[in-house]
Amino acid sequence: MTRKPDLRILLGTYGVVIALLALIAFGWWRYDNFVGFFNITSVLRYNSMFALVSLGMCFVIMTGGIDLSVGSTAALGSVAAALASPYGILPGAAAGIGVGLLVGAINGLLVTRANIMPFIATLATMLAASGSALLLANNQSVSVSYESGFTALGQGNLWILPIPAVIAGVAYLLGSVVLNFTSTGRTVLAIGGNEEASRLMGLRTDAIKFLTYLASGGLAGLAGVILAAQFGAGQPIEGVGWELFAIASVVVGGTLLTGGVGSVGTTLAGVLLLGILFNVLNFENGMGWISLSAYWQSVIRGAFLLVVVIIQARMVTRPNAPA
Amino acid sequence: MIALALLLVFNLIFTRNFATVQTLNVNLTQVCTIVIVAVGMTMVIGTGGIDLSVGSIMAISGALAPMIFLGTIFPVGPIGPAVALAICVALLAATLLGLFNGWLVAYFRIQPIVATLVLFIAGRGIAQVLTNGNLQVFRTPEFQWIGLGRPFGIPVQVLIMAAIVLLAAWVLRRTVFGRAILATGGNERAAELSGVPVSRVKLAVYAISGFCAGVAGLIVIAINSASDANLVGLGMELDAIAAVAVGGTLLSGGKATIIGTLIGALTIQLVRYTLLANGVPDAAALVVKAAIIVLAVWLQQQGRAR
């Protein structure tokens, strides 16, 4: 497959960045405090959890897989982190990330060893993680310890930047380096492009696929740690629908669900685009011109996804589609 | 099949009051909506697709019907025609939403998982916006008959379920349309070249799935005598997909069995009932359900590899 820098494909990939900038410009022009310190940090703080989950999802999707378990893994991670939080910041974080890695490892084994379709394997672990979270938390939210300083992971600042945003930023930087400058990253895309061919070329497809699920689980666990720290409690029933939010962000970011094509940077743009869309909606409500109930959020989110996938279908698959 | 038999035996021995009509009724009425949705899902999966939007479509159909027969949208006359109208409109809306899914999949060539994700996200929102998120409570025996009526002692929804299952099984096995579904799922390109109207088949299966979800939505609200847009059909897509997978339908398409789906749904329901009846908490039942799904699909894989 030759990949020419086709204008349409470029637009498909970077359209999301343009849309994001346009949205920010619109907000800047229309609302007083939109580009204000408080608003920026709160948007970043809140969306960093989704950003982490979406990053893992992005890697899994690039191999042609999917990870539906991220939402309940984050919930399980938040419960584990809250339970371990009295022992300090590190044990709390380690517990959350640890259970995330565990779920990720199970996903990876089911997909690579048992050859179960990613969709089904992660659907099953989604149920299992959600059940485990409820069991572990005794069906209620688990308060975190405020003495050990654990909440700083979600509420604290590093200089003027919210710590969750810093964590997400570092994760994206690492993700971008891995994808673009290491053989692992190139293998991820090769597997998504044509798994059989990659295997025959001698690439360690199973090991790399396992790694993507492991990373996705770990990142979901980390998101759970931040969730617990930010809201002061481990939430066994949080995280419902996160997987779909993450998939939506990845798709909006121009990564193809069939695998083989993707970018870490535009995934971040996708997360921010969807996040800021709601921020704009809140501001618009605040202006008093219109009043949209919270229920409109999901309608608008869905409509937005619809527009993006239709544009992508027109731009990307048309040139290759059989006439 | 064997698993189901084993479960039955286990229950006969260990669960108290298992072999009673009441237990049968409880299990059957609980499993009805899952089976009905799973039948539509089986057809969609048979073409190699998937429908994530069923739960949201249930919510929309469940939100629309009471709005009509309660006269929230426009004043209605006698209750009989109003209920009939409400059922028709709700089912029509559900079918149209299914068609919309099919349209995205067939004509825009969007992957089914993404195409139906749109309605999964937006659909529940639409239902919530319609009702403003409020609970709609009603006491309309004419309508609730589909959830609570018992001609000859058999719950109406069980009859509806049986009718849908039999019809679907017949369509899938004995009709050209049924063969076309499996041909599309087996090898789409080959099917298209040999004259199967692939696009129209896809439109049809998603419409059918939408219709089935609509029926299930009506049954749920009829049983509850209330419609809550936030809850109707929540998580249904997972239950339905699980039933289909456990029933032995290939998730990659090309092979599908309605009876298998029925058995799959019954198995999952019975496992849940067995655990709950023997005092295992609901959360642990989730973990067991996950294990069953993985085991069933894994066994399927082994069977195919041999």
Side-chain angles (χ1 to χ4, degrees):
Chain A
M1 196 172 85
T2 55
R3 206 171 284 149
K4 286 180 290 183
D6 191 324
L7 179 68
R8 283 185 289 193
I9 291 180
L10 277 181
L11 201 62
T13 313
Y14 294 105
V16 53
V17 180
I18 298 168
L20 177 64
L21 293 177
L23 190 67
I24 294 176
F26 172 79
W28 201 338
W29 163 75
R30 188 159 168 83
Y31 317 113
D32 287 339
N33 297 319
F34 187 73
V35 183
F37 179 72
F38 180 76
N39 189 45
I40 291 177
T41 51
S42 63
V43 166
L44 288 180
R45 194 186 294 278
Y46 185 64
N47 284 295
S48 54
M49 294 180 286
F50 300 125
L52 286 170
V53 170
S54 304
L55 178 63
M57 183 71 81
C58 173
F59 271 87
V60 172
I61 286 179
M62 281 189 293
T63 67
I66 198 144
D67 188 351
L68 296 181
S69 68
V70 289
S72 28
T73 304
L76 179 60
S78 79
V79 171
L83 288 173
S85 63
Y87 304 103
I89 295 182
L90 274 182
I97 298 172
V99 295
L101 288 173
L102 184 66
V103 177
I106 296 174
N107 282 333
L109 286 177
L110 288 178
V111 171
T112 59
R113 291 276 160 224
N115 273 325
I116 293 178
M117 288 170 68
F119 186 79
I120 296 301
T122 56
L123 180 67
T125 46
M126 169 193 194
L127 295 176
S130 159
S132 312
L134 284 168
L135 282 178
L136 204 57
N138 233 336
N139 287 335
Q140 54 199 358
S141 56
V142 182
S143 179
V144 304
S145 153
Y146 284 86
E147 283 84 49
S148 63
F150 174 74
T151 49
L153 280 178
Q155 301 167 3
N157 287 322
L158 194 68
W159 183 47
I160 57 164
L161 293 168
I163 287 179
V166 174
I167 296 175
V170 170
Y172 268 85
L173 215 57
L174 282 177
S176 184
V177 169
V178 167
L179 183 65
N180 293 310
F181 299 108
T182 67
S183 64
T184 308
R186 305 324 292 178
T187 311
V188 165
L189 289 175
I191 294 173
N194 187 334
E195 185 168 350
E196 201 47 41
S198 313
R199 197 194 310 275
L200 293 175
M201 270 162 53
L203 297 174
R204 295 173 304 127
T205 50
D206 277 358
I208 300 291
K209 270 163 78 179
F210 180 82
L211 271 185
T212 59
Y213 287 99
L214 192 67
S216 177
L219 286 167
L222 179 58
V225 171
I226 293 175
L227 175 72
Q230 206 166 99
F231 295 98
Q235 320 259 8
I237 55 167
E238 242 325 302
V240 177
W242 280 23
E243 63 284 350
L244 298 164
F245 184 90
I247 295 171
S249 304
V250 172
V251 170
V252 168
T255 299
L256 293 186
L257 271 178
T258 40
V261 178
S263 147
V264 166
T266 51
T267 298
L268 183 60
V271 174
L272 288 177
L273 185 62
L274 290 182
I276 291 176
L277 201 61
F278 293 111
N279 193 233
V280 165
L281 203 64
N282 287 339
F283 269 94
E284 195 62 36
N285 273 336
M287 301 270 287
W289 289 102
I290 51 167
S291 99
L292 293 174
S293 70
Y295 300 120
W296 278 100
Q297 288 199 357
S298 44
V299 179
I300 292 173
R301 192 184 288 179
F304 201 80
L305 183 64
L306 177 67
V307 171
V308 170
V309 292
I310 286 184
I311 292 175
Q312 271 181 6
R314 288 269 169 226
M315 279 182 178
V316 183
T317 57
R318 255 284 174 84
N320 305 329
Chain B
M1 193 65 131
I2 301 167
L4 188 63
L6 280 179
L7 269 172
L8 283 174
V9 174
F10 176 87
N11 272 303
L12 286 174
I13 301 171
F14 291 105
T15 311
R16 247 191 279 171
N17 301 328
F18 183 70
T20 58
V21 178
Q22 189 164 11
T23 309
L24 184 71
N25 265 337
V26 165
N27 275 306
L28 275 180
T29 50
Q30 284 183 355
V31 84
C32 267
T33 51
I34 299 179
V35 171
I36 291 172
V37 173
V39 164
M41 185 73 81
T42 309
M43 294 199 165
V44 172
I45 290 179
T47 66
I50 195 115
D51 189 352
L52 296 181
S53 68
V54 285
S56 300
I57 293 181
M58 282 176 72
I60 293 179
S61 124
L64 267 179
M67 290 177 76
I68 293 170
F69 68 69
L70 289 176
T72 320
I73 306 178
F74 49 85
V76 285
I79 192 73
V83 165
L85 179 70
I87 292 177
C88 289
V89 171
L91 293 183
L92 185 69
T95 311
L96 285 178
L97 290 171
L99 267 181
F100 170 77
N101 283 332
W103 178 63
L104 289 181
V105 173
Y107 293 105
F108 286 94
R109 294 175 184 277
I110 297 173
Q111 293 138 301
I113 200 177
V114 183
T116 54
L117 182 65
V118 170
L119 259 186
F120 175 95
I121 295 177
R124 189 164 298 280
I126 293 172
Q128 287 163 332
V129 168
L130 279 175
T131 58
N132 212 2
N134 292 328
L135 187 70
Q136 298 187 85
V137 186
F138 48 85
R139 198 174 287 275
T140 314
E142 291 85 351
F143 174 74
Q144 289 177 263
W145 182 78
I146 64 170
L148 301 174
R150 280 167 195 275
F152 318 114
I154 306 169
V156 173
Q157 70 263 42
V158 174
L159 294 176
I160 298 177
M161 173 188 86
I164 289 182
V165 166
L166 289 177
L167 185 67
W170 175 73
V171 165
L172 203 57
R173 275 202 192 175
R174 298 263 182 258
T175 65
V176 177
F177 174 58
R179 308 317 300 180
I181 290 178
L182 299 184
T184 305
N187 185 336
E188 189 175 332
R189 192 93 188 94
E192 195 157 24
L193 290 175
S194 52
V196 174
V198 168
S199 296
R200 262 186 292 157
V201 169
K202 286 188 180 170
L203 269 184
V205 291
Y206 285 96
I208 291 172
S209 177
F211 174 83
C212 289
V215 173
L218 293 182
I219 292 176
V220 168
I221 64 162
I223 294 175
N224 293 341
S225 56
S227 164
D228 183 351
N230 309 306
L231 286 179
V232 173
L234 197 64
M236 180 54 88
E237 60 286 342
L238 301 184
D239 283 336
I241 294 170
V244 175
V246 170
T249 293
L250 284 187
L251 287 160
S252 44
K255 181 173 173 289
T257 146
I258 298 286
I259 302 301
T261 298
L262 175 66
I263 293 174
L266 288 176
T267 311
I268 293 177
Q269 167 69 21
L270 206 54
V271 169
R272 187 156 168 268
Y273 180 82
T274 310
L275 292 172
L276 293 183
N278 287 298
V280 178
D282 213 9
L286 275 179
V287 180
V288 176
K289 191 157 128 191
I292 293 171
I293 295 173
V294 167
L295 194 67
V297 176
W298 185 72
L299 287 174
Q300 213 184 68
Q301 294 274 347
Q302 299 301 306
R304 211 165 21 147
R306 222 175 279 139

Coordinates of all heavy atoms in Angstrom, one line a residue, chain A residues 121-193:
Chain A
A121 N -13.7 -10.3 24.2 CA -12.8 -10.5 25.4 C -12.9 -9.3 26.3 O -13.1 -9.5 27.6 CB -11.4 -10.7 24.9
T122 N -12.9 -8.1 25.8 CA -12.9 -6.9 26.6 C -14.3 -6.6 27.1 O -14.5 -6.0 28.2 CB -12.3 -5.7 25.9 OG1 -13.1 -5.5 24.7 CG2 -10.9 -5.9 25.5
L123 N -15.3 -7.1 26.4 CA -16.7 -7.0 26.9 C -16.8 -7.8 28.2 O -17.4 -7.4 29.2 CB -17.6 -7.5 25.9 CG -19.1 -7.5 26.2 CD1 -19.6 -6.1 26.3 CD2 -19.9 -8.2 25.1
A124 N -16.2 -9.0 28.2 CA -16.3 -9.9 29.3 C -15.5 -9.3 30.5 O -16.0 -9.3 31.6 CB -15.7 -11.3 29.0
T125 N -14.3 -8.8 30.2 CA -13.5 -8.2 31.4 C -14.2 -6.9 31.9 O -14.0 -6.5 33.0 CB -12.1 -7.9 30.9 OG1 -12.1 -7.3 29.7 CG2 -11.3 -9.2 30.9
M126 N -14.9 -6.3 31.0 CA -15.7 -5.1 31.4 C -16.7 -5.5 32.5 O -16.8 -4.8 33.6 CB -16.4 -4.5 30.2 CG -17.5 -3.4 30.6 SD -18.5 -3.2 29.1 CE -19.3 -1.7 29.6
L127 N -17.4 -6.6 32.3 CA -18.4 -7.1 33.3 C -17.6 -7.5 34.5 O -18.0 -7.2 35.6 CB -19.1 -8.3 32.7 CG -20.1 -8.0 31.6 CD1 -20.7 -9.3 31.1 CD2 -21.2 -7.0 32.0
A128 N -16.5 -8.2 34.3 CA -15.8 -8.8 35.5 C -15.2 -7.7 36.3 O -15.3 -7.7 37.5 CB -14.7 -9.7 35.0
A129 N -14.6 -6.6 35.6 CA -14.0 -5.6 36.4 C -15.1 -4.8 37.1 O -14.8 -4.4 38.3 CB -13.2 -4.6 35.4
S130 N -16.2 -4.6 36.5 CA -17.3 -3.8 37.2 C -17.8 -4.6 38.4 O -18.0 -4.0 39.5 CB -18.4 -3.6 36.1 OG -19.6 -3.3 36.7
G131 N -17.9 -5.9 38.2 CA -18.3 -6.7 39.4 C -17.3 -6.7 40.5 O -17.7 -6.6 41.6
S132 N -16.0 -6.8 40.1 CA -15.0 -6.8 41.1 C -15.0 -5.5 41.9 O -14.7 -5.5 43.1 CB -13.6 -7.1 40.5 OG -13.7 -8.1 39.6
A133 N -15.2 -4.4 41.1 CA -15.1 -3.1 41.7 C -16.3 -3.0 42.8 O -16.0 -2.5 43.9 CB -15.3 -2.0 40.7
L134 N -17.4 -3.5 42.4 CA -18.6 -3.5 43.4 C -18.3 -4.3 44.6 O -18.6 -3.9 45.7 CB -19.8 -3.9 42.7 CG -20.5 -2.9 41.7 CD1 -21.6 -3.6 40.9 CD2 -21.1 -1.8 42.5
L135 N -17.7 -5.5 44.3 CA -17.4 -6.4 45.5 C -16.4 -5.8 46.4 O -16.5 -5.8 47.6 CB -16.8 -7.7 44.9 CG -17.8 -8.7 44.4 CD1 -17.1 -9.9 43.8 CD2 -18.8 -9.1 45.4
L136 N -15.3 -5.2 45.8 CA -14.2 -4.7 46.5 C -14.7 -3.5 47.4 O -14.2 -3.3 48.5 CB -13.1 -4.2 45.6 CG -11.7 -4.1 46.1 CD1 -11.3 -5.5 46.6 CD2 -10.8 -3.7 44.9
A137 N -15.6 -2.7 46.8 CA -16.1 -1.5 47.5 C -17.3 -1.7 48.3 O -17.8 -0.8 48.9 CB -16.4 -0.4 46.4
N138 N -17.8 -3.0 48.3 CA -19.0 -3.3 49.1 C -20.2 -2.5 48.6 O -21.0 -2.0 49.4 CB -18.8 -3.0 50.6 CG -19.1 -4.2 51.4 OD1 -19.9 -5.0 50.9 ND2 -18.5 -4.3 52.6
N139 N -20.3 -2.3 47.3 CA -21.4 -1.6 46.7 C -21.6 -0.1 47.1 O -22.7 0.4 46.9 CB -22.8 -2.3 47.0 CG -22.9 -3.6 46.2 OD1 -22.3 -3.8 45.2 ND2 -23.7 -4.5 46.8
Q140 N -20.5 0.5 47.6 CA -20.7 1.9 47.9 C -19.4 2.6 47.5 O -18.4 2.0 47.3 CB -21.0 2.2 49.3 CG -20.1 1.5 50.3 CD -20.7 1.3 51.6 OE1 -21.8 1.7 51.9 NE2 -19.9 0.7 52.5
S141 N -19.4 4.0 47.5 CA -18.1 4.6 47.2 C -17.2 4.6 48.4 O -17.7 4.6 49.5 CB -18.4 6.0 46.7 OG -19.1 6.8 47.6
V142 N -15.9 4.5 48.1 CA -14.9 4.4 49.2 C -14.2 5.7 49.3 O -13.6 6.2 48.4 CB -13.9 3.3 48.8 CG1 -12.9 3.1 49.9 CG2 -14.6 2.0 48.5
S143 N -14.3 6.3 50.5 CA -13.6 7.6 50.7 C -12.1 7.4 50.7 O -11.6 6.4 51.3 CB -14.1 8.1 52.0 OG -13.5 9.4 52.3
V144 N -11.4 8.3 50.2 CA -9.9 8.3 50.2 C -9.5 8.9 51.5 O -10.2 9.7 52.1 CB -9.3 9.0 49.0 CG1 -9.8 8.4 47.7 CG2 -9.5 10.4 49.0
S145 N -8.2 8.6 51.8 CA -7.6 9.2 53.0 C -7.1 10.6 52.7 O -6.5 10.8 51.6 CB -6.5 8.4 53.5 OG -5.6 9.2 54.2
Y146 N -7.5 11.6 53.5 CA -7.1 13.0 53.2 C -5.7 13.3 53.9 O -5.1 14.3 53.6 CB -8.2 14.0 53.7 CG -9.3 14.0 52.7 CD1 -10.3 13.1 52.8 CD2 -9.3 14.9 51.6 CE1 -11.4 13.1 51.9 CE2 -10.3 14.9 50.7 CZ -11.4 14.0 50.8 OH -12.4 14.0 49.9
E147 N -5.3 12.4 54.9 CA -4.1 12.7 55.6 C -2.8 12.4 54.8 O -1.8 13.1 54.9 CB -4.0 11.9 56.9 CG -4.9 12.4 58.0 CD -6.3 11.9 57.9 OE1 -6.5 10.7 57.7 OE2 -7.2 12.7 58.0
S148 N -2.9 11.4 53.9 CA -1.7 10.9 53.3 C -1.3 11.8 52.1 O -0.3 11.5 51.5 CB -1.9 9.5 52.8 OG -2.9 9.4 51.9
G149 N -2.1 12.8 51.7 CA -1.7 13.6 50.6 C -2.1 13.0 49.3 O -1.7 13.6 48.2
F150 N -2.8 11.9 49.3 CA -3.2 11.2 48.1 C -4.0 12.1 47.1 O -3.8 12.1 45.9 CB -4.0 10.0 48.4 CG -4.5 9.2 47.2 CD1 -3.6 8.5 46.4 CD2 -5.8 9.3 46.9 CE1 -4.1 7.8 45.3 CE2 -6.3 8.6 45.8 CZ -5.4 7.9 45.0
T151 N -4.8 13.0 47.7 CA -5.7 13.8 46.8 C -5.0 14.8 45.9 O -5.5 15.3 44.9 CB -6.7 14.6 47.7 OG1 -6.0 15.2 48.7 CG2 -7.8 13.7 48.3
A152 N -3.7 15.0 46.3 CA -2.9 15.9 45.4 C -2.8 15.4 44.0 O -2.8 16.2 43.1 CB -1.5 16.1 46.0
L153 N -2.9 14.1 43.8 CA -2.8 13.5 42.5 C -3.9 14.0 41.6 O -3.8 14.1 40.4 CB -2.8 12.0 42.5 CG -1.6 11.3 42.9 CD1 -1.8 9.8 43.0 CD2 -0.5 11.6 41.9
G154 N -5.0 14.4 42.2 CA -6.2 14.9 41.4 C -6.4 16.3 41.5 O -6.8 17.0 40.6
Q155 N -6.1 16.9 42.7 CA -6.5 18.3 43.0 C -5.3 19.2 43.0 O -5.5 20.4 43.0 CB -7.3 18.3 44.3 CG -8.5 17.5 44.3 CD -9.1 17.3 45.7 OE1 -8.6 17.8 46.7 NE2 -10.2 16.5 45.8
G156 N -4.1 18.7 43.1 CA -3.0 19.5 43.3 C -2.5 20.2 42.1 O -2.9 19.9 40.9
N157 N -1.6 21.1 42.2 CA -0.9 21.8 41.1 C 0.6 21.6 41.1 O 1.2 21.6 42.2 CB -1.2 23.3 41.1 CG -2.7 23.6 40.7 OD1 -3.2 23.0 39.9 ND2 -3.2 24.6 41.4
L158 N 1.2 21.5 39.9 CA 2.6 21.6 39.8 C 2.9 22.9 39.2 O 2.6 23.2 38.1 CB 3.1 20.4 38.9 CG 4.6 20.1 38.9 CD1 5.0 19.6 40.2 CD2 4.9 19.2 37.8
W159 N 3.5 23.8 40.0 CA 3.6 25.2 39.6 C 2.2 25.8 39.3 O 1.4 25.8 40.3 CB 4.6 25.4 38.4 CG 4.8 26.8 38.0 CD1 5.1 27.9 38.8 CD2 4.7 27.3 36.7 NE1 5.2 29.0 38.1 CE2 5.0 28.7 36.8 CE3 4.5 26.7 35.4 CZ2 5.0 29.5 35.6 CZ3 4.5 27.5 34.3 CH2 4.8 28.9 34.4
I160 N 1.8 26.1 38.1 CA 0.4 26.5 37.9 C -0.4 25.5 37.2 O -1.6 25.6 36.9 CB 0.3 27.8 37.2 CG1 1.0 27.7 35.8 CG2 0.9 29.0 38.0 CD1 0.6 28.8 34.8
L161 N 0.2 24.3 36.8 CA -0.5 23.3 36.0 C -1.1 22.3 36.9 O -0.5 21.8 37.9 CB 0.5 22.7 35.1 CG 1.1 23.6 34.0 CD1 2.2 22.9 33.3 CD2 0.0 23.9 33.0
P162 N -2.4 21.9 36.6 CA -3.0 20.8 37.4 C -2.2 19.5 37.2 O -1.8 19.2 36.1 CB -4.4 20.7 36.7 CG -4.5 21.8 35.8 CD -3.2 22.4 35.5
I163 N -2.0 18.8 38.3 CA -1.2 17.6 38.2 C -1.7 16.5 37.3 O -1.0 16.0 36.5 CB -0.9 17.0 39.7 CG1 0.1 17.9 40.4 CG2 -0.4 15.6 39.6 CD1 0.4 17.5 41.8
P164 N -3.1 16.3 37.3 CA -3.6 15.3 36.3 C -3.2 15.7 34.9 O -2.9 14.8 34.1 CB -5.1 15.4 36.5 CG -5.3 16.0 37.8 CD -4.1 16.9 38.1
A165 N -3.3 17.0 34.5 CA -2.9 17.4 33.2 C -1.5 17.1 32.9 O -1.1 16.7 31.8 CB -3.3 18.9 33.0
V166 N -0.6 17.3 33.9 CA 0.8 17.1 33.7 C 1.0 15.6 33.4 O 1.8 15.2 32.5 CB 1.6 17.5 35.0 CG1 3.1 17.1 34.8 CG2 1.5 19.0 35.2
I167 N 0.4 14.8 34.2 CA 0.5 13.3 34.0 C 0.1 12.9 32.6 O 0.8 12.2 31.9 CB -0.4 12.5 35.1 CG1 0.2 12.8 36.5 CG2 -0.4 11.1 34.8 CD1 -0.7 12.2 37.6
A168 N -1.1 13.5 32.2 CA -1.6 13.1 30.9 C -0.6 13.6 29.8 O -0.4 12.9 28.8 CB -3.0 13.7 30.7
G169 N -0.1 14.8 30.0 CA 0.8 15.4 29.1 C 2.1 14.5 28.9 O 2.5 14.2 27.8
V170 N 2.6 14.1 30.0 CA 3.8 13.2 30.0 C 3.4 11.9 29.2 O 4.2 11.4 28.4 CB 4.3 12.9 31.4 CG1 5.4 11.8 31.3 CG2 4.8 14.2 32.0
A171 N 2.3 11.4 29.6 CA 1.8 10.1 29.0 C 1.7 10.3 27.4 O 2.2 9.4 26.7 CB 0.5 9.6 29.5
Y172 N 1.2 11.4 27.0 CA 1.0 11.6 25.5 C 2.4 11.8 24.9 O 2.6 11.3 23.8 CB 0.1 12.8 25.3 CG -1.3 12.3 25.1 CD1 -2.1 12.2 26.2 CD2 -1.8 12.0 23.9 CE1 -3.4 11.7 26.1 CE2 -3.1 11.6 23.7 CZ -3.9 11.4 24.8 OH -5.2 11.0 24.7
L173 N 3.3 12.5 25.6 CA 4.6 12.6 25.0 C 5.3 11.3 24.8 O 5.8 11.0 23.8 CB 5.4 13.5 26.0 CG 6.4 14.5 25.4 CD1 5.7 15.4 24.4 CD2 7.1 15.3 26.5
L174 N 5.2 10.5 25.9 CA 5.8 9.1 25.8 C 5.1 8.3 24.7 O 5.8 7.7 23.9 CB 5.6 8.4 27.1 CG 6.6 8.7 28.3 CD1 6.2 8.0 29.5 CD2 8.0 8.4 27.8
G175 N 3.8 8.4 24.6 CA 3.1 7.6 23.6 C 3.5 8.0 22.2 O 3.7 7.2 21.4
S176 N 3.6 9.3 22.0 CA 4.0 9.8 20.7 C 5.4 9.4 20.3 O 5.6 9.0 19.2 CB 4.0 11.4 20.8 OG 4.2 11.9 19.5
V177 N 6.3 9.4 21.3 CA 7.7 8.9 21.0 C 7.7 7.4 20.7 O 8.3 7.0 19.7 CB 8.6 9.2 22.3 CG1 9.9 8.5 22.1 CG2 8.8 10.7 22.4
V178 N 6.9 6.7 21.5 CA 6.9 5.2 21.2 C 6.3 4.9 19.8 O 6.9 4.1 19.1 CB 6.0 4.5 22.3 CG1 5.7 3.1 21.9 CG2 6.7 4.5 23.6
L179 N 5.3 5.6 19.5 CA 4.6 5.4 18.2 C 5.5 5.8 17.0 O 5.6 5.0 16.0 CB 3.3 6.1 18.1 CG 2.5 5.8 16.9 CD1 2.1 4.4 16.8 CD2 1.3 6.7 16.8
N180 N 6.2 6.9 17.1 CA 6.8 7.4 16.0 C 8.3 7.1 15.9 O 8.9 7.1 14.8 CB 6.7 9.0 16.0 CG 5.3 9.4 15.7 OD1 4.6 8.9 14.8 ND2 4.8 10.3 16.6
F181 N 8.9 6.8 17.0 CA 10.4 6.6 17.0 C 10.9 5.2 17.5 O 12.1 5.1 17.6 CB 11.1 7.7 17.8 CG 10.8 9.1 17.3 CD1 9.9 9.9 17.9 CD2 11.3 9.5 16.0 CE1 9.6 11.2 17.4 CE2 11.0 10.7 15.5 CZ 10.2 11.6 16.2
T182 N 10.0 4.3 17.8 CA 10.5 3.0 18.2 C 9.9 1.9 17.3 O 8.9 2.1 16.6 CB 10.0 2.7 19.6 OG1 8.6 2.5 19.6 CG2 10.4 3.8 20.6
S183 N 10.6 0.8 17.3 CA 10.2 -0.3 16.4 C 8.8 -0.8 16.9 O 8.0 -1.3 16.2 CB 11.2 -1.4 16.4 OG 11.3 -2.0 17.7
T184 N 8.6 -0.7 18.3 CA 7.4 -1.2 18.8 C 6.2 -0.4 18.2 O 5.2 -1.0 17.8 CB 7.3 -0.9 20.4 OG1 8.5 -1.5 20.9 CG2 6.1 -1.5 21.0
G185 N 6.4 0.9 18.1 CA 5.3 1.8 17.6 C 5.0 1.4 16.1 O 3.9 1.3 15.7
R186 N 6.1 1.2 15.3 CA 5.9 0.9 13.9 C 5.2 -0.5 13.8 O 4.4 -0.7 12.9 CB 7.2 0.9 13.2 CG 8.1 2.2 13.2 CD 7.3 3.4 13.3 NE 6.6 3.8 12.1 CZ 5.8 4.8 11.9 NH1 5.6 5.7 13.0 NH2 5.2 5.1 10.8
T187 N 5.6 -1.4 14.7 CA 4.9 -2.7 14.6 C 3.4 -2.6 14.9 O 2.7 -3.3 14.3 CB 5.6 -3.7 15.7 OG1 7.0 -3.6 15.5 CG2 5.2 -5.1 15.4
V188 N 3.1 -1.7 15.9 CA 1.7 -1.5 16.2 C 0.9 -1.2 14.9 O -0.1 -1.8 14.6 CB 1.5 -0.4 17.2 CG1 0.0 0.1 17.3 CG2 2.0 -0.9 18.6
L189 N 1.4 -0.2 14.2 CA 0.7 0.2 12.9 C 0.8 -0.9 11.9 O -0.2 -1.1 11.1 CB 1.4 1.4 12.4 CG 1.1 2.7 13.2 CD1 1.8 3.9 12.7 CD2 -0.4 3.0 13.2
A190 N 1.9 -1.7 11.8 CA 2.0 -2.8 10.9 C 1.0 -3.8 11.1 O 0.3 -4.3 10.2 CB 3.4 -3.3 10.9
I191 N 0.8 -4.2 12.4 CA -0.2 -5.2 12.8 C -1.6 -4.7 12.3 O -2.3 -5.5 11.7 CB -0.2 -5.4 14.3 CG1 1.1 -6.1 14.7 CG2 -1.4 -6.4 14.7 CD1 1.3 -6.2 16.2
G192 N -1.9 -3.5 12.6 CA -3.2 -3.0 12.2 C -3.4 -2.9 10.7 O -4.5 -3.2 10.2
G193 N -2.3 -2.7 10.0 CA -2.4 -2.7 8.5 C -2.6 -4.0 7.9 O -3.6 -4.2 7.1

